Amino acid sequence: MKVALTKGTLLVPPTYFALAHAGAMPEREWRVFTLAARVSDPSVTLPIYEAAPGALSPALPLRVAAQARGLGAMRRAVSSWGPDVIHQHQATWSLPAVGAARETGVPLVVTLHGGDAYPRLGRGLGAAWNARNRRAAFEGATRLLAVSRYLADVALRAGADPARLSVHYQGVDTQWWTPSPGLSPGARPDLVPVGNPGLAAEGAESPEVPIVLFVGALSRLKGVDDLVRASSSLVERRPHRLVLVGDGPLAPSLRASAPAHVTLTGPLARERVREWMRRARILALPTKPTQGRQEAAGLVLLEAQACGVPVVAYRTGGTPEMTAPGASLLTGERTLDALGCAIDEALAWSDEERADRAAACRAWVDAERSLRGSVDQLRAVYGELTGSSLRGCRAASDE
């Protein structure tokens, strides 16, 4: 079976999710089609076709012109390859995939990841373009996959056909995202050297101080501003380090004003992210509603828990679907006080309680949100759409 993976742009890191299932299904023949790609991870070996490399230009006029030229070229390239299935990630920029599916008559799978599923998000030309692509994807897709129950409900309100909409949790590789080798989950990885002197240079100079970790976009949507303030209100009474991994619109102001206990690492490769996770006491991701949008899923929550790291988060969007029941902490109130209390509680856990919660987090992700299970579901979808008698994902209308 030949599967064409399509996406508007492909940046690896951080968008490993678009390629994860392909890597776990070597029995299929895969090819990636995109307007433009920036892949710096040498482990990515899938063939990638770029229809418009200039689509990543920082100059807006050049970027828009390249995108406009690349849409038809991408559609033609997908059709010419002759796939058995076309799988588009994100409804935005789905027009080439929709057109290729129409030309070839093959099934089209569209995975909805977040803002691409909302009925109204923002204003102006960008919002109009998103709406046009979303309508085309909803009408042209043989199967729509939402990365959480929350996002499936958003898609239904936006007009998605419930008969063609399924919940498909993306899953994480629990054979790669693991606790420190030789340690049971929760065995105080924050006190265990990881053998990388670069970590100390990034601010974790005291191994006796627990680490509160954040991984993601430094933005208000991800709640990093709330996290810094909540952490700062606690640090004198409950000493800890706050490590922020990632980049985003709030990075300049955070670098200029962050308290001494806060470390900004910038974007890191997956291996370095995993090292920090293995050292962290908890991972905090207080995503919150922003301009009508909420967190759809949050794979970093699963990655951390697979490493034996409990999570502290706001109860927002699809976040509850990504956290181990009873083991991680979700606050119903999205306030600084609630966030501070949750972090305080987590830092006060005894070693035994933290170890029990870490083991429960790891076990839940492995059983309920692993890449292995996600791949099995996707195989079933592909098989169903191409005539096999495999069982597909759970239909959104069945739950």
Side-chain angles (χ1 to χ4, degrees):
M1 178 187 293
K2 296 169 66 175
V3 183
L5 284 179
T6 56
K7 192 175 182 298
T9 58
L10 181 67
L11 307 177
V12 182
T15 52
Y16 286 95
F17 64 81
L19 309 179
H21 296 96
M25 280 193 271
E27 73 276 9
R28 266 66 170 176
E29 183 180 355
W30 301 87
R31 185 168 294 183
V32 181
F33 298 85
T34 182
L35 292 175
R38 183 180 297 138
V39 178
S40 59
D41 189 331
S43 69
V44 175
T45 59
L46 291 174
I48 299 173
Y49 170 85
E50 293 183 85
L56 292 177
S57 171
L60 181 60
L62 294 177
R63 187 165 70 246
V64 171
Q67 291 167 348
R69 290 194 304 270
L71 291 173
M74 182 174 165
R75 171 182 52 78
R76 291 188 293 272
V78 174
S79 297
S80 297
W81 188 56
D84 299 294
V85 174
I86 300 171
H87 191 158
Q88 167 74 21
H89 280 279
Q90 296 175 320
T92 305
W93 298 103
S94 63
L95 290 177
V98 172
R102 186 183 303 116
E103 289 177 355
T104 60
V106 305
L108 171 64
V109 178
V110 177
T111 294
L112 306 172
H113 286 274
D116 53 328
Y118 280 78
R120 290 176 299 277
L121 192 64
R123 297 179 179 178
L125 294 177
W129 177 254
N130 185 64
R132 178 184 174 188
N133 279 264
R134 185 187 64 251
R135 287 193 298 270
F138 283 10
E139 294 171 2
T142 315
R143 179 69 64 87
L144 291 164
L145 305 179
V147 297
S148 65
R149 158 57 45 197
Y150 163 77
L151 193 63
D153 290 340
V154 170
L156 289 172
R157 292 195 297 272
D161 179 359
R164 291 183 286 135
L165 177 64
S166 303
V167 176
H168 179 228
Y169 296 114
Q170 295 291 279
V172 297
D173 185 354
T174 55
Q175 299 304 305
W176 197 87
W177 296 100
T178 62
S180 297
L183 292 176
S184 60
R188 294 305 299 273
D190 50 319
L191 303 185
V192 178
V194 296
N196 190 331
L199 294 180
E202 287 166 352
E205 64 273 2
S206 174
E208 298 300 325
V209 177
I211 294 170
V212 176
L213 181 66
F214 170 93
V215 179
L218 303 183
S219 67
R220 287 185 172 81
L221 172 65
K222 296 295 184 179
V224 70
D225 50 340
D226 280 9
L227 178 57
V228 171
R229 282 182 283 179
S231 170
S232 299
S233 71
L234 282 174
V235 68
E236 289 189 11
R237 180 169 54 84
R238 191 76 70 183
H240 64 278
R241 295 206 64 84
L242 175 60
V243 177
L244 309 178
V245 177
D247 202 354
L250 297 184
S253 62
L254 288 171
R255 290 193 184 98
S257 62
H261 77 288
V262 178
T263 298
L264 285 81
T265 71
L268 296 177
R270 282 198 309 170
E271 289 77 10
R272 301 297 303 286
V273 172
R274 183 175 62 178
E275 288 177 359
W276 276 114
M277 285 183 175
R278 287 172 170 176
R279 304 189 73 201
R281 181 73 167 176
I282 57 170
L283 180 126
L285 192 71
T287 59
K288 54 189 176 181
T290 304
Q291 297 180 340
R293 178 180 174 184
Q294 298 188 41
E295 180 73 60
L299 286 179
V300 69
L301 299 171
L302 301 181
E303 293 165 354
Q305 291 171 104
C307 290
V309 180
V311 165
V312 170
Y314 289 149
R315 187 178 294 276
T316 303
T319 297
E321 300 171 63
M322 303 297 155
T323 51
S328 288
L329 295 179
L330 294 177
T331 68
E333 295 182 13
R334 295 186 287 264
T335 65
L336 289 178
D337 286 345
L339 179 59
C341 287
I343 295 173
D344 187 26
E345 178 183 341
L347 293 175
W349 290 333
S350 67
D351 290 352
E352 292 75 17
E353 181 177 1
R354 199 279 184 180
D356 288 344
R357 287 175 178 269
C361 287
R362 165 78 186 174
W364 180 79
V365 174
D366 192 50
E368 302 293 336
R369 297 291 185 270
S370 71
L371 180 63
R372 178 184 63 254
S374 182
V375 164
D376 286 345
Q377 286 188 312
L378 193 57
R379 279 197 184 101
V381 170
Y382 290 168
E384 175 188 332
L385 296 182
T386 56
S388 300
S389 58
L390 298 174
R391 180 173 57 87
C393 295
R394 295 169 295 170
S397 56
D398 292 339
E399 298 183 3

